[in-house]
Amino acid sequence: MITNLFIILFIVGSLIISLILLNDRKYVSSRSVSSAYDSWTNDRLLENLWGEHIHLGYYPNYSKKVDFRQAKIDFVHQLINWSGLDKLPRGSRVIDVGCGIGGSSRILAKDYGFDVLGITISSKQVERAKQLTSKELTCDFQVMDAIDLKFKNGSFDGVWSVEAGPHILHKQLYADEMLRILRPGGVLAVADWNKKGDDKKTNFIEKIVMKQLLNQWSHPEFSTIESFRANLLNSSFSSSKVYTEDWTDFTIDSWHDSIYEGMRRPDVMFKLGPQSFIKGLREIPTILLMRWAFGSGLMQFGVFKTRG
C-alpha cells in the first residue's frame, strides 16, 4: 500500500511538473524524437552530468558501488564481449544505430580498431558527436533514420544499437533494417528497455506508470524481450539463432545514480544556469518511475545477439 502511494505521488508530481513547465514529449513521429534529442543535446545538461554516454551503466556486483561514468564505459565493453563483437578483426566496419553523441562509437573505434559509423535522427547529436571525436579515430557520424538505412545489403560486419528501440514505432522494420545491412557471419548486438511480457497482468497503476514512461521521453511503445526476439527471428534477413539475456540486475543502479550525479556535481547546475536546473528537476519523477518499473518487473533490460 505504501509503495503504491509512493508511486501515485510521483505520477502526480510528474504530471504537475509537465503541466507547469512544458507539455509532455509524447511520441508523434520521428520528428518528435529528433526534436527531443536536439533539445537535450543543445542544453548540454545530460552531457555535463552523465558524460558522453547517455545509456545505462553496468554494475557487475550490484552490492558494491561503481563510479557512474565508469559503469557506462563498462557496459559498452560487457556488451561487446557478450555479443562476440570483440571477435571481429580490427578494421571491421561497424554501425552504431542510435549513436547519441558518440560515446559507444568512440570506444568501438579506439579500443577495438573498428571503422565505425554512428547514425542518429538528431542533427544536433551528430554535430556534437563530431566535435567530441578525435580526427585520429576511424569514426564518423550521419543523420539517418534507423528504419531507413541508406546502405546496401550486407554493408557492415557489425551492427550495434543501445536503447534506441523504444523510440521506434515499427519494431519489425527496425529489426529488418539492422539485419539487412549485416553481412553473412557478421555480429549484431542490441540492448534495450523492454516492458514485461504479459500485458494482461498489468494493473491500473502500472498502466498509468507505463503511459508516463512512454510520453515523457518520446517513446511510441516498448517491446518485450520475447517480442523483439521474435522480430529478429521472423525477419526475412535472419539466418541464425537469436540469444537474449535480462541484464536488469546489472543496470538498475543507473537510475538512482543518474539523479545522484546532480548532487555530486553541483557545479554543473551553477555553470549551466537556473533553466537547466529546472529541466533537470523535471526529469527526476520519470527517472524514479523508471527505477520502480525495473525494480518491480514492469520493465526489463534486454540484450540481444545474433549472426548475419
Side-chain angles (χ1 to χ4, degrees):
M1 186 70 182
I2 294 175
T3 301
N4 288 345
L5 179 61
F6 177 81
I7 297 164
I8 292 170
L9 287 173
F10 278 113
I11 292 170
V12 172
S14 182
L15 288 169
I16 291 172
I17 290 172
S18 296
L19 289 171
I20 292 175
L21 299 177
L22 293 167
N23 293 326
D24 64 20
R25 292 161 291 202
K26 184 177 180 180
Y27 176 90
V28 178
S29 68
S30 59
R31 288 187 179 182
S32 60
V33 178
S34 174
S35 176
Y37 275 101
D38 282 350
S39 175
W40 284 320
T41 304
N42 273 341
D43 64 33
R44 301 284 175 87
L45 178 64
L46 297 184
E47 181 184 337
N48 278 273
L49 282 179
W50 299 348
E52 59 186 274
H53 300 272
I54 301 173
H55 57 75
L56 302 189
Y58 186 93
Y59 300 77
N61 179 353
Y62 39 92
S63 65
K64 182 180 178 181
K65 294 305 293 179
V66 179
D67 177 78
F68 184 47
R69 295 191 180 195
Q70 183 59 49
K72 290 168 173 284
I73 295 169
D74 293 344
F75 172 85
V76 176
H77 291 295
Q78 287 290 335
L79 185 59
I80 289 170
N81 294 337
W82 176 79
S83 66
L85 268 172
D86 59 327
K87 302 299 191 295
L88 294 176
R90 298 180 73 84
S92 295
R93 195 178 185 206
V94 175
I95 186 170
D96 181 354
V97 178
C99 64
I101 57 174
S104 298
S105 297
R106 285 185 285 277
I107 290 178
L108 289 162
K110 181 179 179 181
D111 294 348
Y112 297 89
F114 298 148
D115 181 359
V116 182
L117 175 65
I119 67 112
T120 169
I121 204 164
S122 165
S123 60
K124 295 300 181 182
Q125 285 189 327
V126 166
E127 180 182 323
R128 186 60 181 149
K130 288 184 175 182
Q131 291 170 352
L132 292 170
T133 302
S134 167
K135 295 188 185 307
E136 285 73 39
L137 291 179
T138 53
C139 191
D140 195 14
F141 302 93
Q142 292 182 22
V143 176
M144 197 175 298
D145 194 327
I147 60 172
D148 186 21
L149 299 175
K150 307 298 186 181
F151 307 103
K152 295 179 181 178
N153 295 5
S155 293
F156 292 89
D157 303 297
V159 175
W160 170 276
S161 186
V162 173
E163 298 176 17
H167 293 297
I168 297 170
L169 178 60
H170 302 289
K171 312 298 187 188
Q172 186 61 59
L173 190 51
Y174 169 52
D176 289 343
E177 279 291 270
M178 288 192 293
L179 290 172
R180 181 185 65 77
I181 63 170
L182 183 64
R183 70 159 172 81
V187 178
L188 177 138
V190 176
D192 260 330
W193 305 343
N194 301 105
K195 65 182 179 180
K196 71 177 182 178
D198 192 347
D199 287 337
K200 294 180 180 178
K201 293 183 180 179
T202 304
N203 62 39
F204 175 72
I205 290 176
E206 290 174 338
K207 287 177 180 176
I208 296 176
V209 170
M210 189 63 68
K211 183 177 179 180
Q212 281 298 100
L213 299 187
L214 292 172
N215 288 354
Q216 285 302 317
W217 288 346
S218 198
H219 300 136
E221 185 56 276
F222 298 112
S223 298
T224 65
I225 291 177
E226 295 78 11
S227 68
F228 190 66
R229 180 175 180 272
N231 289 148
L232 293 169
L233 285 171
N234 294 338
S235 174
S236 59
F237 300 98
S238 178
S239 62
S240 185
K241 294 180 179 179
V242 175
Y243 299 90
T244 68
E245 286 187 6
D246 181 351
W247 282 12
T248 302
D249 286 343
F250 299 120
T251 56
I252 196 168
D253 279 357
S254 302
W255 296 109
H256 283 164
D257 260 355
S258 65
I259 296 174
Y260 295 154
E261 283 297 285
M263 304 174 190
R264 295 173 186 139
R265 304 175 190 274
D267 56 308
V268 170
M269 296 302 181
F270 287 111
K271 181 173 70 174
L272 296 178
Q275 186 174 6
S276 288
F277 178 74
I278 293 171
K279 284 184 177 180
L281 285 179
R282 177 189 178 179
E283 307 300 346
I284 291 176
T286 306
I287 292 171
L288 290 171
L289 286 177
M290 277 287 191
R291 172 60 179 82
W292 177 83
F294 278 92
S296 68
L298 180 63
M299 294 286 291
Q300 298 173 297
F301 193 93
V303 291
F304 307 80
K305 64 179 178 180
T306 189
R307 291 266 179 176

